[in-house]
Amino acid sequence: MIDSNAVIRTYPDLESVSHAAAEEFTDIGRAAIADTGRFAMVLAGGSTPRRLYERLAGTSFRAQIVWDKVEFFWGDERAVSPEHPDSNYRMANDAMLKHLNIAETRIHRMPTEQPDLDTVARDYQAEIACVFDSVGDGEVPHFDLVLLGMGADGHTASLFPHADALRETKRWVVPTRMPQSDSFRLTLTPTIINNARNVLFLVAGANKAETLAQVLNGPYEPERLPAQLIRPASGATTWIIDEDAARQLPHHSLEGARGSNS
Ligand code: 6PG
């Protein structure tokens, strides 16, 4: 059952999804920087956001944000080195960060190559709290934007079905396991994601269509469909999806032009 505040925008293909998401990113970022002098945002992993990141570093968008006001965090990370092909950090760095000359101090990588993921999670939470130093002790900070994807099993970030992380209400960051591959990960929890001012889901591909229809229009079953847990308390959720992923949704108007290389 969709969050009643959520907005769904459907585009012809991944290219136009990425263009629309880049526009949303820069709009939110400019507003945050104008309001607070900073844009604290959370990057999504997986493959869908790669094109968005490439566009943000490209000529159409890179001049639209004052990049030295942006603090980059991750929503989740695989327990691999930053050079590993599966690293969400590596994907974002290759597609965007290294092209924007971002200061290392504002790239908050999850150091999941370290063996004790529980300590890494606690240290990452402390790093978030340090950046949001104005936030009172224990108060959950408000990211300006959290980017998220959705897996065909309904997971988001590394919040997998039936995982303990789904029920975590105190910690902002926890270690978890990806059941399909029995691999370890770090993930932000719904507690901090739902405190974001803006959440942007990017979902593309026919393999997501059945699950997306269940997440948005089916019964509320967050243990089975963790993406349903994402309902920002006072923030806005926007789903930017392509036609293939939208095919099992009730009638949806198509926005944007195919490709949208403008
Ligand atoms: C990850 C992501 C994960 C991803 C979905 C969708 O680390 O894999 O955080 O939540 O967003 O699995 O992945 P694709 O974009 O590759 O379909």
Side-chain angles (χ1 to χ4, degrees):
M1 189 63 70
I2 188 169
D3 172 358
S4 55
N5 296 327
V7 169
I8 303 170
R9 291 163 48 190
T10 306
Y11 292 83
D13 51 26
L14 179 58
E15 194 58 38
S16 46
V17 160
S18 305
H19 182 87
E23 289 179 325
E24 198 69 23
F25 180 104
T26 48
D27 288 350
I28 293 167
R30 280 202 304 270
I33 292 167
D35 182 29
T36 65
R38 175 183 68 197
F39 178 28
M41 67 83 47
V42 174
L43 293 165
S47 56
T48 303
R50 179 190 296 275
R51 189 69 191 107
L52 160 63
Y53 299 160
E54 290 169 346
R55 296 196 76 131
L56 287 170
T59 49
S60 306
F61 289 95
R62 70 184 296 154
Q64 295 190 32
I65 286 269
V66 180
W67 294 104
D68 66 6
K69 303 290 186 189
V70 185
E71 299 281 353
F72 292 95
F73 293 85
W74 273 259
D76 69 323
E77 184 57 276
R78 294 84 180 274
V80 294
S81 74
E83 300 79 22
H84 192 284
D86 289 349
S87 163
N88 287 335
Y89 160 80
R90 174 176 162 176
M91 186 275 277
N93 189 50
D94 288 352
M96 174 173 62
L97 299 176
K98 71 182 182 184
H99 306 291
L100 294 173
N101 307 315
I102 306 287
E104 282 301 310
T105 52
R106 285 186 289 100
I107 297 177
H108 305 282
R109 182 177 73 83
M110 291 176 159
T112 49
E113 69 278 9
Q114 295 172 19
D116 180 350
L117 283 182
D118 192 63
T119 298
V120 173
R122 294 181 190 283
D123 290 347
Y124 200 73
Q125 176 161 329
E127 186 168 346
I128 294 170
C130 182
V131 169
F132 286 90
D133 57 357
S134 56
V135 166
D137 276 353
E139 193 184 326
V140 183
H142 301 276
F143 281 113
D144 298 303
L145 172 63
V146 175
L147 290 176
L148 292 171
M150 188 197 77
D153 63 353
H155 81 263
T156 189
S158 281
L159 298 166
F160 293 100
H162 312 297
D164 292 343
L166 305 187
R167 293 173 293 280
E168 174 57 52
T169 56
K170 295 278 182 296
R171 297 175 67 177
W172 310 343
V173 194
V174 292
T176 188
R177 259 181 66 253
M178 180 189 191
Q180 295 90 329
S181 62
D182 198 25
S183 56
F184 289 93
R185 302 213 177 170
L186 215 64
T187 187
L188 295 191
T189 60
T191 298
I192 192 165
I193 294 172
N194 281 332
N195 233 37
R197 294 193 171 87
N198 297 277
V199 171
L200 198 53
F201 275 97
L202 270 65
V203 182
N207 67 318
K208 309 283 177 78
E210 185 179 351
T211 303
L212 186 62
Q214 292 176 27
V215 165
L216 296 181
N217 296 322
Y220 185 59
E221 300 175 85
E223 281 287 323
R224 184 174 74 86
L225 299 168
Q228 290 186 329
L229 285 169
I230 307 309
R231 303 171 151 215
S234 55
T237 303
T238 302
W239 292 77
I240 299 186
I241 64 181
D242 76 350
E243 217 175 349
D244 283 342
R247 64 178 58 185
Q248 294 191 26
L249 297 182
H251 174 68
H252 47 275
S253 55
L254 209 49
E255 301 185 50
R258 196 166 292 281
S260 287
N261 276 303
S262 57

